[in-house]
Amino acid sequence: MIQVGILGATGAVGQRFIQLLTDHPEFELRVLTASEASAGESYRAAAKWRVDSPIPERVADQTVRRTEPDAIPDDVDLLFSSLPSDVASEVEHDFVEAGYVVSSNSSNERRATDVPLVIPEVNPEHLDLIEAQRANRGWDGALIKNPNCSTITMVPALAALEQFGIERVHVATLQAVSGAGYSGVSSMDIIDNAIPHIGGEEEKMEAESRKLLGELGDGEVQYHDAAVTASCNRIPTIDGHLENVFVEFAEDPDTEAVAAAFEDAETIDLPTAPDPLITVFEDPERPQPRLDRMVGDGMGIAVGGIQETETGIKFNVLAHNTIRGAAGASVLNGELLAEDGWL
Ligand code: 11C
């Protein structure tokens, strides 16, 4: 078993990490860290547990450690990070310099030229950027990132359609409140409301999508040249981001060809990868967050509403934002790191 830890284990994504790493077939969860204020407490006392299953017994009484390299046992090989982005750069660098491999969900450095931004079913070859990263920064460890949850929801579907030559993408999101962490979930302000702007989200979707779909060459990623425009909205659902996507292509695929491309999208042979990667609904009222966010144990991508438009194709896509879109994405990247021999 590969010994792993979680940096930032008490937050909304940290709790999902715990849920997904309990009884994982390859990873043994050894270490939990949190802010200075929680260090020394039991996990049960430190975390305000909100995940939809009880705190695993073997985690509840573990002592939460400081988020510093000298608090981590030497035999831990892989750290999953859900640190707040304002502290993550500095703290993650400390761990990577100390030789740890960090699979991070935090949004800092996703666009750095030598940081792999990876969805294993889409661009596993981008992990090779680790060589450039080690050469540039003199690190023994490695830092890899998964994208933002709204980006992860859309990009596997776009990758399946790449065969038709994607030229332009417009997307409008309907994002769940759990994407905003505890304060989002506990806020009642959003009931009977929708918020037509989520700070920074649109830029992330636009840039991260083009990096994920880009080609790796000469030690860096050449971004895909499709134009991507995003409009990101918060709605009062708890979990599951739903997105309306409009795509223009070089070719002129019909709805049958698009549905077949989604159904044929290749998954990857890793323990928590969903099979199929994409589930296609014919009912135009699906997918819906409450009904469909757990497709593929929360790791699948659900699409529906495929229709022709005057300029191309439109469809709806849904994924679970804190599983597929956050903790599950980092765990899957960890499985890829193990499979490809980076640990
Ligand atoms: C939201 N997508 O729903 C955001 C949360 O870049 O990882 C995740 C932010 C990120 O508000």
Side-chain angles (χ1 to χ4, degrees):
M1 295 288 273
I2 295 165
Q3 307 294 301
V4 306
I6 302 170
L7 308 179
T10 53
V13 176
Q15 295 186 11
R16 281 286 179 204
F17 271 126
I18 287 176
Q19 189 187 38
L20 298 172
L21 290 168
T22 300
D23 301 325
H24 189 281
E26 293 183 344
F27 300 145
E28 184 171 351
L29 182 54
R30 287 275 308 284
V31 184
L32 310 170
T33 84
S35 64
E36 198 68 41
S38 303
E41 291 186 329
S42 70
Y43 186 77
R44 194 194 308 274
K48 217 170 173 185
W49 184 258
R50 294 190 190 231
V51 168
D52 43 4
S53 60
I55 304 185
E57 272 308 309
R58 81 179 87 129
V59 168
D61 296 322
Q62 269 193 42
T63 302
V64 173
R65 301 178 190 224
R66 289 174 290 115
T67 308
E68 290 171 15
D70 65 7
I72 309 292
D74 287 344
D75 61 347
V76 169
D77 298 309
L78 174 63
L79 296 168
F80 295 102
S81 168
S82 55
L83 293 169
S85 57
D86 55 338
V87 300
S89 283
E90 195 184 330
V91 178
E92 289 175 349
H93 287 199
D94 290 345
F95 283 93
V96 180
E97 274 164 23
Y100 292 102
V101 174
V102 177
S103 176
S104 169
N105 176 64
S106 303
S107 62
N108 56 302
E109 293 191 283
R110 286 187 185 137
R111 288 177 242 173
T113 50
D114 61 355
V115 174
L117 180 70
V118 174
I119 300 175
E121 301 94 327
V122 172
N123 62 334
E125 71 283 1
H126 287 201
L127 266 197
D128 290 348
L129 272 185
I130 290 172
E131 280 167 17
Q133 184 185 92
R134 286 178 171 167
N136 290 347
R137 308 206 198 193
W139 285 344
D140 291 329
L143 176 63
I144 88 156
K145 296 276 169 175
N146 57 266
N148 177 15
C149 42
S150 46
T151 311
I152 296 189
T153 300
M154 174 176 73
V155 166
L158 292 181
L161 303 183
E162 182 55 2
Q163 58 189 292
F164 306 120
I166 295 173
E167 293 189 331
R168 201 166 286 122
V169 179
H170 297 276
V171 54
T173 69
L174 300 99
Q175 296 183 218
V177 290
S178 58
Y182 282 152
S183 54
V185 174
S186 59
S187 169
M188 286 293 115
D189 297 347
I190 195 164
I191 299 298
D192 188 31
N193 205 2
I195 299 170
H197 177 76
I198 304 173
E201 196 78 355
E202 295 169 356
E203 294 80 3
K204 287 182 198 170
M205 281 196 88
E206 292 165 0
E208 292 174 16
S209 300
R210 295 180 55 235
K211 183 173 181 184
L212 288 156
L213 294 170
E215 299 276 329
L216 182 65
D218 295 333
E220 66 180 73
V221 176
Q222 311 300 317
Y223 279 40
H224 195 289
D225 57 12
V228 180
T229 309
S231 177
C232 294
N233 307 284
R234 183 82 65 206
I235 61 158
T237 45
I238 301 291
D239 288 316
H241 287 356
L242 179 63
E243 305 179 358
N244 312 127
V245 187
F246 305 76
V247 191
E248 297 175 29
F249 301 97
E251 295 177 20
D252 191 19
D254 59 20
T255 55
E256 287 76 22
V258 166
F262 286 145
E263 275 164 356
D264 292 346
E266 277 186 36
T267 188
I268 191 166
D269 187 14
L270 293 173
T272 62
D275 188 7
L277 171 60
I278 299 177
T279 298
V280 180
F281 287 90
E282 287 183 8
D283 178 349
E285 295 186 2
R286 305 282 289 278
Q288 295 178 17
R290 195 142 46 92
L291 297 181
D292 303 313
R293 59 193 167 212
M294 288 309 293
V295 68
D297 291 333
M299 289 295 284
I301 307 291
V303 303
I306 305 167
Q307 293 179 64
E308 284 178 38
T309 67
E310 281 190 23
T311 53
I313 289 285
K314 65 177 178 179
F315 61 90
N316 301 319
V317 63
L318 168 78
H320 196 301
N321 55 300
T322 62
I323 302 180
R324 179 73 223 202
S330 278
V331 170
L332 199 59
N333 279 348
E335 293 169 10
L336 182 67
L337 285 158
E339 174 74 17
D340 287 3
W342 291 103
L343 299 181

